[in-house]
Amino acid sequence: MAAHVFDDAVALARQADGSFIGQTSPAYANMVGPYGGITAAQALNAVMQHPDRLGEPVSFTVNFAAALAEGAFVAVARPARTNRSTQHWIVEFLQQGQTVLTATAVTAKRRDTWSLNEAVFPTVPTVEQLSPLVRNAPMAWVNRYEMRYITGSFPQAWDGEDSGRSLSQLWVRDAEPRALDFCSLTALADVFFPRVYVRRSKRVPIGTVSMTVYYHADQGQISRTGAGYLLGQAQAQAFRNGFFDHTAQMWNEAGELLVTSHQLVYYKE
Amino acid sequence: MAAHVFDDAVALARQADGSFIGQTSPAYANMVGPYGGITAAQALNAVMQHPDRLGEPVSFTVNFAAALAEGAFVAVARPARTNRSTQHWIVEFLQQGQTVLTATAVTAKRRDTWSLNEAVFPTVPTVEQLSPLVRNAPMAWVNRYEMRYITGSFPQAWDGEDSGRSLSQLWVRDAEPRALDFCSLTALADVFFPRVYVRRSKRVPIGTVSMTVYYHADQGQISRTGAGYLLGQAQAQAFRNGFFDHTAQMWNEAGELLVTSHQLVYYKE
C-alpha cells in the first residue's frame, strides 16, 4: 500500500549528527514556497521523531523566517530543557546554511484532572448539509483537503467590499481520509484562507509570520477522532500597519475542542 | 532621580561575548520564582538591547522552562535570520549552564497600510468608577500594578463554586506611573490572575508554560499611550488534563487595541 501523501510530505531522515533531512512537497505547494501548515507539521515532526522526546506536544510555536526553496532542508531539534513531566524544544530549519524557520515546542506527560471546555461549539450545519469546495485550486495544498465552508470561504468576487467581519467556519479533513495525529492536526490548524481576504475581498500579498498551536487533545482524543471531520473557526482581532492576527479553534465531530491556535500574518497595502 | 523599579528589574549588562547578564527582581517576586511577566519583559529586552536589532517587535513567544532561581542569569539573544524588513530571534536564559527559558521573537519595520480593529472594545465602567485592589498581596509583583477589576478578580472565597465563565476585565497600569514601552507592555500582558482560579474558585498549583504576544501597536501608539491605563481582558477556551489556555486583549484608553496575547498554563488537580 502506498503511503498517504501527508506521510510522504512530513517524512524526515535522521542523520548521524542527530539532525534530520526533510524535503519540500510539491503536493502541498502554495503560491510561493510550501503551504505553511505542512512546514509547521514537518517542524513538529522533528520533535515527534526525536529519540529523546518526553510526552506529547502541548504547545508549539513556529516562525516562518523565509519561504523554503524547493528541495531538501536540514531540521535541527534540540531538547533545551527536560523536567520531570515537561520538556522544552528549540527547532530550526536550514537551507544552504541559512535559517529558514525557527520553532519552540513544549511536550508533557499529561495527567487526568478536572477538565472543561469554555469555548462554545458554534451552531453550524452538519457535514452532509454542505458541499465541498471544488478542488481545482492553482495552489496544490488546497486540493489536499476536503473543505466544506459554512462562512468566510475564499471570496467569490474581489470587489474590495468590506464584509463586516473576518469569521470563517468550515468542516475539513484530509481529501484522502487519514487518521489524525499531532502532525496532521498541526497542518490542519493552518487551513484557513487569509483573514484579510475574507474581510476585504481584496487580493493583497500575505505571508504567515508566526503560528502557535495549543493542543488540548491528547493521543486518546486524537485516536478517537480518527479520519473524521474537524470543525474549524478563525477570526482576526486586528489588522494594523502590515500585520494582522487571528485566533482559531478546531473541534472534532464529537464536539471536543482539540486545539486553539493563533497566527500573525504579514500583509501589504 | 532614581530609576523606576521596572527599569531596574529589566536591566541587562552586555558581556564581551555578546550575551547579557540580568538579575531576578525581588520587587516582582511571585509565589515561586519571579512574576512571569517580568521574566518575559527581560527576555524581550535582550532583543530590544541587541545592537543588531532591526525594527520593532511584532510577535514574541516565551516558554518558561523552569522557575528562575533568585540571582543572576545569562540571556543569549541571536538574530537567526535577517530579511529586508523582518528579523527572527531566538532567546535563551541560562542559570548554572541550564536552560531556564526559551523564546522567539519577530521584529519588523512597519509600514502604513489599511488598518482596522475587528475585536470590539467592551462596554466597561471608566477608571474613575472603579476602586483599585488594595496592594497588600503576599506576592510582591501584584503590588507593582494598580489594578481596577471590573470582573473576574482574585476570588474572594475559595469555595470551589463554578463561576460559569473565566472572563476577567480590568483597568491596569504601573502602580508608580511610567510611560509604556514594548517591555512594560509585555509584562502587563501577563497581569491576569490564573483563569482556573476565576472559573473554579479553587486554589490549585499553576504555572504558565508558554505565552505569546502579538504587538499591534507600533512605537507611535505606545508613546501616545504614555502612562495611561490599559483595559485588559482575558478568557480561557479550554481546561484539559493539566493545561488550560487563555486569550487576552489589551487596549489603551483611546480604545486602540495594543496587543493580543495567549497563554498555556499548567495546573494540578
Side-chain angles (χ1 to χ4, degrees):
Chain A
M1 199 180 80
H4 191 283
V5 60
F6 182 83
D7 293 290
D8 283 339
V10 299
L12 298 172
R14 194 162 163 88
Q15 307 300 296
D17 67 359
S19 70
F20 296 94
I21 301 285
Q23 304 282 339
T24 60
S25 166
Y28 286 88
N30 205 345
M31 297 295 271
V32 180
Y35 168 52
I38 204 73
T39 307
Q42 291 165 330
L44 183 69
N45 203 26
V47 173
M48 299 305 288
Q49 298 303 319
H50 199 289
D52 297 341
R53 176 171 55 90
L54 172 91
E56 301 173 358
V58 294
S59 173
F60 176 63
T61 295
V62 56
N63 305 289
F64 300 96
L68 270 70
E70 209 180 308
F73 57 86
V74 177
V76 182
R78 173 167 67 90
R81 174 90 186 199
T82 301
N83 297 315
R84 203 156 39 107
S85 64
T86 60
Q87 193 175 42
H88 288 256
W89 294 84
I90 298 176
V91 181
E92 264 184 278
F93 280 11
L94 300 134
Q95 286 188 318
Q96 272 79 51
Q98 299 286 306
T99 299
V100 293
L101 173 148
T102 69
T104 59
V106 183
T107 57
K109 286 190 207 163
R110 305 194 77 136
R111 289 189 189 83
D112 281 356
T113 65
W114 171 90
S115 296
L116 181 143
N117 285 341
E118 185 153 322
V120 177
F121 187 92
T123 304
V124 292
T126 63
V127 171
E128 295 71 26
Q129 291 172 306
L130 297 159
S131 303
L133 279 190
V134 178
R135 290 198 289 277
N136 60 0
M139 304 86 83
W141 78 267
V142 175
N143 306 320
R144 300 287 82 75
Y145 292 103
E146 181 189 324
M147 305 187 199
R148 297 176 185 237
Y149 264 91
I150 297 143
T151 190
S153 181
F154 215 67
Q156 294 300 300
W158 298 98
D159 54 11
E161 199 158 304
D162 184 345
S163 70
R165 66 175 188 178
S166 70
L167 178 70
S168 286
Q169 293 174 328
L170 79 163
W171 286 106
V172 61
R173 64 171 183 178
D174 288 309
E176 182 191 336
R178 176 182 177 280
L180 197 67
D181 58 28
F182 283 104
C183 289
S184 67
L185 184 52
T186 303
L188 279 157
D190 190 39
V191 80
F192 305 96
F193 297 132
R195 299 301 88 205
V196 69
Y197 292 1
V198 175
R199 179 81 203 220
R200 293 180 77 185
S201 308
K202 180 171 174 169
R203 201 190 294 264
V204 295
I206 64 100
T208 298
V209 168
S210 187
M211 174 169 83
T212 290
V213 182
Y214 296 151
Y215 305 89
H216 302 294
D218 59 17
Q219 184 57 57
Q221 287 168 313
I222 285 177
S223 298
R224 287 195 300 281
T225 302
Y229 292 85
L230 303 188
L231 191 278
Q233 175 171 274
Q235 187 163 8
Q237 299 187 95
F239 304 84
R240 186 90 55 78
N241 292 342
F243 296 90
F244 67 85
D245 72 345
H246 87 213
T247 63
Q249 302 84 28
M250 302 199 95
W251 290 266
N252 63 14
E253 288 179 90
E256 294 174 306
L257 185 53
L258 301 182
V259 298
T260 50
S261 178
H262 315 94
Q263 288 202 10
L264 192 76
V265 181
Y266 164 81
Y267 68 100
K268 232 174 167 168
E269 299 176 33
Chain B
M1 199 179 80
H4 191 281
V5 60
F6 182 83
D7 293 291
D8 282 341
V10 299
L12 298 172
R14 194 164 164 89
Q15 306 301 296
D17 67 358
S19 70
F20 296 93
I21 301 284
Q23 305 282 338
T24 61
S25 166
Y28 286 89
N30 204 347
M31 298 296 269
V32 180
Y35 167 52
I38 204 73
T39 307
Q42 290 165 330
L44 184 69
N45 204 24
V47 174
M48 299 305 288
Q49 297 302 320
H50 199 289
D52 297 341
R53 175 171 56 88
L54 172 90
E56 300 172 1
V58 294
S59 173
F60 176 62
T61 295
V62 57
N63 305 290
F64 301 97
L68 269 70
E70 209 179 308
F73 57 86
V74 176
V76 181
R78 172 167 67 89
R81 174 90 185 200
T82 301
N83 297 316
R84 203 155 38 108
S85 64
T86 62
Q87 192 175 41
H88 287 257
W89 293 86
I90 297 176
V91 180
E92 263 183 279
F93 280 10
L94 300 135
Q95 286 187 318
Q96 273 77 50
Q98 299 285 306
T99 299
V100 294
L101 172 149
T102 69
T104 58
V106 183
T107 56
K109 286 190 206 162
R110 304 195 78 136
R111 288 190 190 82
D112 280 357
T113 65
W114 172 90
S115 296
L116 181 143
N117 285 342
E118 185 152 324
V120 177
F121 187 92
T123 304
V124 291
T126 63
V127 171
E128 294 71 28
Q129 291 173 308
L130 298 159
S131 302
L133 280 190
V134 178
R135 291 197 289 275
N136 59 359
M139 303 86 83
W141 77 267
V142 175
N143 305 322
R144 299 288 82 72
Y145 292 104
E146 180 189 323
M147 305 187 198
R148 297 177 183 235
Y149 264 91
I150 296 143
T151 190
S153 182
F154 215 67
Q156 294 301 300
W158 298 98
D159 54 11
E161 199 158 304
D162 184 345
S163 70
R165 66 174 187 177
S166 69
L167 178 70
S168 285
Q169 294 174 326
L170 78 163
W171 287 107
V172 59
R173 65 171 183 178
D174 289 309
E176 182 192 334
R178 176 183 177 279
L180 197 67
D181 57 30
F182 283 104
C183 288
S184 66
L185 183 53
T186 303
L188 279 156
D190 190 39
V191 81
F192 305 96
F193 296 133
R195 299 303 85 207
V196 71
Y197 293 0
V198 176
R199 180 78 203 223
R200 294 179 76 184
S201 306
K202 181 171 174 168
R203 201 189 295 260
V204 296
I206 63 100
T208 299
V209 169
S210 187
M211 173 168 84
T212 291
V213 182
Y214 296 152
Y215 305 89
H216 301 295
D218 59 17
Q219 183 58 57
Q221 286 169 314
I222 286 177
S223 298
R224 286 195 300 279
T225 302
Y229 291 86
L230 304 189
L231 190 278
Q233 175 173 273
Q235 186 163 9
Q237 299 187 93
F239 304 84
R240 185 89 55 78
N241 293 341
F243 296 90
F244 68 84
D245 72 343
H246 87 214
T247 61
Q249 301 83 29
M250 302 201 94
W251 290 266
N252 62 15
E253 288 179 271
E256 293 174 308
L257 185 54
L258 301 182
V259 297
T260 51
S261 178
H262 316 95
Q263 287 202 9
L264 191 77
V265 182
Y266 164 82
Y267 68 101
K268 236 177 166 168
E269 299 176 33

